[in-house]
Amino acid sequence: MKLPASLAALFAMIATPASAQEMTLYRGGPIVTMDGDAPQTVEAVVTREGRITFVGSEKAARKAAGKGAAVRDLAGATLLPGFIDAHSHFTAATMSAGGLDLRDKAHTGVTDIPALQAAIRDYAQSVPAGRWIVVWQYDHERLAEKRHITCAELDAVAAGRPIVVLHVSLHGAVANSAALAAAGLDESTPVPPGGMMLRDEAGKLNGVLLEKAMFLLVAKMPQPTAEQKLAALDAAQDAYFAEGYTHAQDGATQPADIAFLTSPAARERLKIDLALLPFSPGLDALLAQPDLKFGSYRDHVKLQGIKFVLDGSVQARTGYFTRDYARGSPEGTHPWHGQPVLSEAEFCAQARKVHGRGWQIFAHANGDAAIDIAIRCFDALGIKAADNRRPIVIHSQFQRRDQLPQYARIGVGPAYFSNHTWYWGDVHRTNFPAEVVDFISPFRSARAAGLIPSNHSDYSVTPLDTRFMLWTSMARVSPTGVVSGADERIDAYAALQALTTGPAWQVFEEDRKGRIKPGLLADFVILDKNPLTTPVGAIKDIKVLETVKEGRPVWKAGR
């Protein structure tokens, strides 16, 4: 009797040993497994069909792999699990190429408002008539004037052409008159709750739009088409792969981007695992879909949880605190301790709906008062650590010590942001006492409290640079040499955990990635030096040599 083709293929697969093409043996350098609370290094790893099948001695690995296996000699380089992005804005990587990037090395001379005007004027010459002029990575704290550029100063650059200068925090923007007019904004426009529209001495809009007010402008800005986004997708992935990431996050996904990133065309291009956090303003439309699934991949993309924004950005002085900013509000008024972007009642009501559907809750909270809101609402929902719901408080930056045991009781995962100690540590000290700034992103205390923290870049707020993130969590130093919390410094292994096992746990993937262990994905990053044996000062200079996703090289240095 002749077997059906499907059964014949099945029996043939069972009877045939793994071919040489299916098996790869990695050896010849330190292999740090990240499996356990203390560093473990092994001699060899064997992978097959995208999964890890063996971890241990080289002799045993060769036996497990068989004679025909491909052998990858690390030549002294270090193999680690692929890095996992705990929080960033992946869609920013598909959009920021379409504008003036002030973080580009060509613009290091932009240190005051006249230099910023000159840079925008030069860039505007390359932008076709009729198109908006968009500027990225603007930080008023890095300008000599220590204030925002104004609508009038932007009008002086290119009157009649819409200009938008996006704040590095992604929580604000400055628009010129043409951009305000195109968005339908003027002095009679109601300020949305949780937003700010700054004015000049005459009561006219000065172009600075913060928090929810910024959304009024962004909604009217020209958006790239699906075709343009698709063309930028490969470059966006490569930007993450070049940093050793094998898993990325889009931290506030808009409805149009959900549709694009889950489309068949995008899924066909995606090689990196991508977790989407739909933004809460689109929640009702998602709740209206009874069969919508969160937490499950379609190819390499999944809906992970719902993102809420409870407050703003501390460097923009819109974070919500229980104490006052020494420098006052963004308008310079006193007293000022910030304000919630989303009211407590509104957050609790929406979070209850999300919790009821079994979806994960992600809440952006920088100031301690915003963190209090998150804790109170989680308690109102009855969430406990034993429930294993893992709500994530993104940033958790200016946490108080008394909030750590509350996180532990609820089972909160803090997604910390150590880069702030470098980029804005000095700025924060102009607003808050040293003891407050020294507890920013308290990795050591959080670990002592039994929490599982992660570390992130919040790209495009800070660059995608994983080794710099390792360094900032270990050094916690500012450009002026001021250390923000020496007691909160962590060692290299804990810093690596915040890029591997920590973020894997926070998205319920600890049994799929983040460690080098049999059964897990063969997601690797190869570094030229071992972070565990590299002096702290040299950590940020370590280079990524190669990134491997499910057993396949997806990025190599020099290519």
Side-chain angles (χ1 to χ4, degrees), residues 336-423:
W336 172 256
H337 54 260
Q339 63 184 12
V341 169
L342 195 64
S343 73
E344 184 167 340
E346 191 175 2
F347 171 56
C348 290
Q350 293 185 12
R352 185 172 296 279
K353 295 177 183 178
V354 172
H355 186 68
R357 286 288 290 268
W359 299 346
Q360 192 176 8
I361 298 170
F362 290 76
H364 161 117
N366 272 311
D368 67 321
I371 294 171
D372 280 338
I373 289 176
I375 290 170
R376 287 194 294 266
C377 286
F378 295 153
D379 279 339
L381 296 177
I383 302 176
K384 298 179 178 60
D387 300 333
N388 201 33
R389 297 302 294 267
R390 306 184 194 180
I392 307 301
V393 179
I394 298 168
H395 308 320
S396 292
Q397 287 226 71
F398 283 83
Q399 207 167 13
R400 301 189 310 269
R401 289 185 184 275
D402 66 286
Q403 292 171 330
L404 292 174
Q406 298 184 69
Y407 271 27
R409 172 175 51 79
I410 297 166
V412 172
Y416 289 138
F417 192 2
S418 67
N419 280 359
H420 257 254
T421 59
W422 171 263
Y423 285 99

Side-chain angles (χ1 to χ4, degrees), residues 56-69:
S57 71
E58 183 175 344
K59 181 178 179 181
R62 288 187 180 277
K63 183 176 180 180
K67 294 182 179 180

Side-chain angles (χ1 to χ4, degrees), residues 130-179:
R131 293 190 184 177
W132 289 49
I133 298 164
V134 180
V135 182
W136 295 79
Q137 305 300 336
Y138 156 73
D139 186 354
H140 66 295
E141 291 287 358
R142 293 187 179 273
L143 300 177
E145 295 84 354
K146 300 295 181 184
R147 67 166 175 82
H148 286 291
I149 193 170
T150 66
C151 175
E153 288 167 331
L154 289 175
D155 286 345
V157 172
R161 299 193 63 182
I163 303 175
V164 176
V165 180
L166 295 166
H167 195 264
V168 64
S169 67
L170 300 180
H171 284 259
V174 188
N176 74 339
S177 297

Side-chain angles (χ1 to χ4, degrees), residues 26 29-33 45 74 77-81 516 524-527 548:
Y26 292 83
I31 297 173
V32 183
T33 67
V45 171
L74 295 171
T78 297
L79 185 74
L80 284 156
I516 297 178
F524 306 132
V525 57
I526 301 174
L527 304 179
V548 177

Side-chain angles (χ1 to χ4, degrees), residues 181-244:
L185 304 179
D186 58 29
E187 287 68 31
S188 66
T189 303
V191 180
M196 300 180 74
M197 302 172 69
L198 306 193
R199 297 170 183 261
D200 61 22
E201 294 179 354
K204 299 288 187 180
L205 294 183
N206 72 356
V208 180
L209 308 172
L210 302 174
E211 304 303 336
K212 281 189 174 179
M214 181 188 74
F215 301 155
L216 302 176
L217 173 71
V218 172
K220 301 295 184 179
M221 291 174 60
Q223 299 297 310
T225 65
E227 291 75 16
Q228 290 170 326
K229 290 181 180 180
L230 196 62
L233 197 56
D234 289 341
Q237 292 184 90
D238 280 348
Y240 281 79
F241 285 142
E243 296 300 321

Side-chain angles (χ1 to χ4, degrees), residues 253-324:
T253 317
Q254 303 290 342
D257 290 314
I258 295 174
F260 165 68
L261 291 168
T262 60
S263 69
R267 296 202 323 264
E268 185 178 354
R269 300 282 280 272
L270 281 171
K271 295 176 286 185
I272 198 167
D273 285 345
L274 179 60
L276 309 181
L277 305 186
F279 201 19
S280 62
L283 178 59
D284 287 343
L286 297 173
L287 291 169
Q289 303 176 53
D291 298 327
L292 191 64
K293 291 184 178 180
F294 276 65
S296 300
Y297 281 99
R298 294 182 66 193
D299 298 316
H300 284 285
V301 64
K302 67 171 175 175
L303 299 174
Q304 182 66 48
I306 300 297
K307 163 75 172 292
F308 296 91
V309 175
L310 303 187
D311 72 345
S313 160
V314 182
Q315 65 269 33
R317 305 206 295 280
T318 56
Y320 184 38
F321 283 81
T322 57
R323 64 174 67 232
D324 290 332

